[in-house]
Amino acid sequence: MSNAWMVVATREIVVRALNKGFLIGLAVTVAMIGGLIGFTSFMEGRTQSFEVAVVAGDESAVTALESAAADAASDDRQIELSMLPVDDASAAEAALDDETADAWLSSGAASGTDSWTLSGWREPDPDLTQLIGTTVRDQVLADRAADAGTSMNALTAGSEVETERLDGNPVDPQVVLVAGFVLAFLFFTGAVGSGAMIAGSVIEEKQSRLVEIIATAVPLRQLLAGKIIGSSVIALGQNLLLAGVGLIGVSFTDLSAILPAMTATMLWFVVFFTVGFVAMAALYAVAGSLASRTEDLQYTTSPLMMLLMGVYVVTFSADGTFERVLSYIPPASIVSMPVRVLNGDALWWEPLVSLLILVVATLGAVLLSERAYRGALMQTGGRVSWKTAMAAERGTTLGA
Amino acid sequence: MSDLEVRDLTRVFLSGGAPRRAVDGVSFTASSGLLTGFVGGNGAGKTTTMRMIMGVLAITSGEVRFDGAPVTRHDRREFGYMPEERGLYPKQPVLEQLVYLARLRGIAPSVARREVLEHLDRLGLADRAKEHVEKLSLGNQQRVQIVAAIMGQPKALVLDEPFSGLDPAAVDAMADLLREHTRRGVPVLFSSHQLDLVERLCERLVILGGGRVLANGTPDELRAQGVTRHRLVLSGDAGFVRGVPGVLAVDVDGPSALVEVHDDTAATRLLAAALERGAVREFSPVRPTLAQIYREVTA
């Protein structure tokens, strides 16, 4: 009798692991993560090449373009420049129109004005604009410096600003932002997806009265425990898989330098999520027991859905003091604390305290849910409210 | 003798304003080794009583006893139960979920598997063991459900409408199956709307109406409680019976009449009057059917 929960948990795991919808959803998520990482590293590793048209006789433009090409090659900017000499301005325009050239550079001298022009058929590529803009400015400055009897180096010496980071954290804030988004997304999809499955499995048993047969064989407490444990094992496995795929993927990109920091964050996230998920699973089981038909589920699960949506929306955009507060409040702490760990903002004891709060909250949620679940499960005919469920007398065999 | 005994069982529902006594002081015994039929109209309280016996519904007052002592959850764990509404896991194969349910009752997987296959074979479902329950016809789903109840040699069977939706052959197979369990000395309580079936199968009968026990006993005992009717067949017209004191003519059709006689002198008077008018071909008591008794007690 004591291992009835294991029988229940095993069934939950097996049924779920063989569920086509679940497997397809998981495969899609893995593919999305792989695709995202692949796309990122492709974009990073890609070399852009540009054809820049120059009108014959525009010597300044030729010089500027040659030094820009040299800069690009030495600077690891992943830009390749090549020059396309054209006869005149109209030929340059034609080259832009038929896309043989990506841009057309003309110096002030050539166009008879003071300013340089980089023309494109549409707005020229920003990377190209930046590269050429810098080169042209340096070239013009160098010419004027020479005219004034000095040199570029003399003028710019000591004018550079170097950045230095004292916390020693190598993680780019941009990465933290993305990680926050990804964790919030994983939390949301994981909790909602698994939650819906638990609620569905509860209502399946309630609607068919199968639960009456089960209740005479096993205490409902063990049935609930088996369901929660079974789904939590699945959720844990799912998150380990996704985290693993993500981390392996990241190791192939430029972000591999921050892999240790990311791994710690992921592990914290998995721990937080697993603990928090137990509470969500219990609450979703109640949502299932409050319904009397599958159709009722969308009503009974909507408060949980709102909660999870709230966590999703609030956590991935939070920062500063607000994020610090959130990192202690379950269930937002499931996302916010790991993000703060990645950020390097959390002291070593902070995740532990937050985890403790989460564990206490989870215990509370489970105890509350266990009572409501037992109260609602045998009540048929219409939706049951939380209040009725908590107040319900329980069948004599249902408690122990 | 492990009788299943219900004493003064009461259930009051509070939902929806005024308290409603769905079951009101119900007492009866489902004796070991006997098939006890539980009869009553919709809302009579049959299902509520059975749910209280199985402990899935809290008892307002009264008690359920098994084998001479208050029933425990360990007893109930070994009861076979078939709830009112049918349904198992629709998307799980028959064998797999029956083994699961057996394991929840503490039966070892290998034993459970063997027993389930045996039962399925007997009910003609051996070749459907790997199919999903939702693919079976309603009658076959019903059979799977009964297997769920009778697995593991239960100590008592509590079955809510086990015969509904079964064809006559399946009814007989089901009845044989239940008798096998009564032969083991197990009490079997089942509810039904089909009075003819109950009359044919049951050794004992409990008629419920408005949450109370209206009649309780063997079919013969119940018949004896009712007023016996007599059939009188004459050579001539039987219309005169309407005028005989102490005799109620239920139906007169030419030479034959169905009458109720309230005492022996009235019977003698009726027979004498009949003989004055000619030959008496038949004068015999008519045993009331259960349906009549049911109508009388529930009227």
Side-chain angles (χ1 to χ4, degrees):
Chain A
M1 169 104 81
S2 61
N3 62 4
W5 64 266
M6 278 173 66
V7 178
V8 176
T10 310
R11 175 179 181 276
E12 291 290 320
I13 293 170
V14 170
V15 167
R16 183 84 60 88
L18 297 179
N19 182 296
K20 272 196 203 108
F22 169 73
L23 291 176
I24 291 172
L26 193 58
V28 167
T29 315
V30 168
M32 270 171 57
I33 293 179
L36 190 70
I37 290 168
F39 180 71
T40 314
S41 67
F42 167 73
M43 290 302 281
E44 277 173 353
R46 183 176 65 138
T47 301
Q48 290 175 286
S49 54
F50 297 100
E51 289 276 331
V52 181
V54 177
V55 176
D58 190 351
E59 290 308 326
S60 317
V62 171
T63 317
L65 215 54
E66 275 166 355
S67 65
D71 269 3
S74 67
D75 246 17
D76 193 22
R77 289 214 199 195
Q78 287 155 335
I79 294 181
E80 262 175 29
L81 288 185
S82 50
M83 202 187 311
L84 179 72
V86 291
D87 293 339
D88 52 23
S90 60
E93 279 170 25
L96 290 179
D97 188 11
D98 65 19
E99 294 183 356
T100 47
D102 297 299
W104 163 34
L105 181 67
S106 85
S107 65
S111 60
T113 60
D114 287 349
S115 64
W116 291 63
T117 315
L118 183 67
S119 320
W121 189 247
R122 295 187 190 83
E123 185 67 27
D125 184 274
D127 291 341
L128 178 67
T129 310
Q130 205 209 345
L131 173 66
I132 289 182
T134 316
T135 321
V136 168
R137 198 182 63 233
D138 287 353
Q139 188 180 326
V140 170
L141 283 176
D143 286 352
R144 298 214 178 132
D147 287 352
T150 175
S151 76
M152 247 316 253
N153 288 344
L155 279 177
T156 58
S159 71
E160 271 163 21
V161 178
E162 298 236 334
T163 60
E164 185 186 15
R165 190 165 172 178
L166 293 180
D167 65 0
N169 193 326
V171 183
D172 185 341
Q174 205 61 36
V175 171
V176 173
L177 191 72
V178 173
F181 176 78
V182 169
L183 292 191
F185 179 76
L186 281 181
F187 168 76
F188 181 71
T189 51
V192 169
S194 304
M197 289 218 180
I198 297 166
S201 119
V202 170
I203 189 62
E204 181 181 42
E205 285 167 3
K206 180 180 178 181
Q207 192 172 9
S208 66
R209 304 289 161 87
L210 195 55
V211 72
E212 296 193 3
I213 299 177
I214 297 173
T216 61
V218 227
L220 288 183
R221 195 170 283 166
Q222 294 218 19
L223 178 63
L224 180 62
K227 279 188 187 300
I228 293 175
I229 292 167
S231 337
S232 300
V233 167
I234 287 276
L236 175 66
Q238 185 180 346
N239 270 308
L240 281 174
L241 175 70
L242 295 181
V245 169
L247 291 175
I248 291 172
V250 163
S251 71
F252 288 112
T253 69
D254 286 355
L255 293 175
S256 58
I258 58 164
L259 205 57
M262 265 194 155
T263 307
T265 297
M266 276 300 183
L267 286 179
W268 275 118
F269 175 70
V270 168
V271 170
F272 271 74
F273 182 87
T274 307
V275 173
F277 183 80
V278 169
M280 297 314 299
L283 291 171
Y284 263 102
V286 175
S289 72
L290 293 176
S292 78
R293 292 168 303 137
T294 313
E295 292 81 354
D296 297 334
L297 281 183
Q298 55 177 309
Y299 295 99
T300 58
T301 57
S302 67
L304 288 168
M305 191 72 176
M306 307 270 264
L307 177 71
L308 293 173
M309 281 284 256
V311 169
Y312 175 59
V313 171
V314 166
T315 51
F316 84 75
S317 59
D319 56 7
T321 313
F322 184 45
E323 187 175 45
R324 202 162 302 143
V325 172
L326 283 182
S327 70
Y328 283 100
I329 301 176
S333 58
I334 296 171
V335 176
S336 287
M337 189 50 94
V339 170
R340 286 190 58 214
V341 170
L342 183 63
N343 212 349
D345 173 35
L347 299 172
W348 67 268
W349 53 265
E350 287 197 85
L352 296 176
V353 171
S354 175
L355 184 61
L356 191 68
I357 295 174
L358 183 63
V359 167
V360 171
T362 296
L363 281 179
V366 168
L367 290 179
L368 196 72
S369 302
E370 187 256 348
R371 201 178 151 75
Y373 174 78
R374 285 195 287 131
L377 206 51
M378 297 298 164
Q379 296 196 28
T380 51
R383 269 178 272 149
V384 184
S385 69
W386 264 94
K387 208 175 129 202
T388 325
M390 294 302 283
E393 312 157 57
R394 282 143 194 89
T396 39
T397 59
L398 305 183
Chain B
M1 294 292 270
S2 44
D3 294 346
L4 183 62
E5 204 182 334
V6 168
R7 279 195 194 163
D8 216 18
L9 210 55
T10 298
R11 170 68 204 201
V12 180
F13 285 108
L14 292 171
S15 56
R20 189 171 58 83
R21 295 178 92 79
V23 172
D24 190 2
V26 165
S27 299
F28 65 86
T29 301
S31 306
S32 76
L34 295 183
L35 269 178
T36 303
F38 207 30
V39 186
N42 298 322
K46 302 188 298 286
T47 295
T48 306
T49 305
M50 290 180 138
R51 294 181 82 202
M52 282 192 283
I53 292 174
M54 289 311 297
V56 295
L57 186 69
I59 294 170
T60 305
S61 68
E63 69 170 337
V64 178
R65 298 173 68 84
F66 181 70
D67 206 5
V71 69
T72 65
R73 84 157 285 121
H74 292 280
D75 291 331
R76 284 174 169 140
R77 195 164 188 233
E78 296 183 52
F79 288 3
Y81 175 46
M82 185 165 175
E84 177 196 24
E85 265 165 65
R86 303 292 182 264
L88 294 156
Y89 297 107
K91 298 196 186 301
Q92 215 184 353
V94 172
L95 177 63
E96 210 171 287
Q97 62 183 301
L98 286 173
V99 170
Y100 170 66
L101 292 174
R103 290 192 61 196
L104 287 182
R105 279 157 96 176
I107 303 171
S110 57
V111 178
R113 211 181 158 77
R114 197 167 55 234
E115 198 183 340
V116 167
L117 283 172
E118 240 172 67
H119 281 304
L120 288 178
D121 190 35
R122 279 202 51 184
L123 291 173
L125 289 172
D127 53 335
R128 319 294 293 270
K130 306 256 186 240
E131 276 180 52
H132 287 190
V133 166
E134 62 185 354
K135 300 246 166 71
L136 301 182
S137 68
L138 284 179
N140 280 340
Q141 290 188 17
Q142 181 103 333
R143 287 173 221 218
V144 174
Q145 190 100 33
I146 192 75
V147 175
I150 62 179
M151 290 181 304
Q153 306 279 310
K155 288 206 263 181
L157 284 173
V158 177
L159 311 170
D160 206 347
E161 296 280 352
F163 293 100
S164 72
L166 292 185
D167 61 39
V171 165
D172 290 342
M174 176 84 89
D176 286 346
L177 208 60
L178 297 187
R179 287 202 190 290
E180 250 172 57
H181 289 273
T182 55
R183 272 201 294 277
R184 288 196 293 124
V186 161
V188 176
L189 176 68
F190 75 90
S191 67
S192 180
H193 285 106
Q194 294 151 276
L195 288 163
D196 54 330
L197 195 74
V198 174
E199 181 164 25
R200 188 155 61 86
L201 297 178
C202 288
E203 283 95 16
R204 288 189 72 86
L205 193 63
V206 178
I207 299 178
L208 217 58
R212 292 167 171 278
V213 174
L214 300 176
N216 176 3
T218 65
D220 282 339
E221 280 167 0
L222 294 190
R223 285 191 193 98
Q225 282 171 19
V227 180
T228 306
R229 292 172 175 179
H230 286 78
R231 173 168 306 281
L232 179 67
V233 182
L234 305 174
S235 54
D237 186 70
F240 78 95
V241 298
R242 289 201 180 89
V244 180
V247 172
L248 177 69
V250 179
D251 184 37
V252 179
D253 181 17
S256 78
L258 186 64
V259 296
E260 276 177 15
V261 283
H262 294 273
D263 51 58
D264 285 347
T265 45
T268 318
R269 220 166 22 238
L270 176 65
L271 200 55
L275 285 168
E276 273 172 29
R277 282 167 174 74
V280 173
R281 300 249 158 83
E282 184 188 339
F283 185 62
S284 59
V286 178
R287 283 158 59 87
T289 62
L290 269 186
Q292 276 165 359
I293 295 166
Y294 178 77
R295 273 192 287 276
E296 274 169 33
V297 297
T298 55

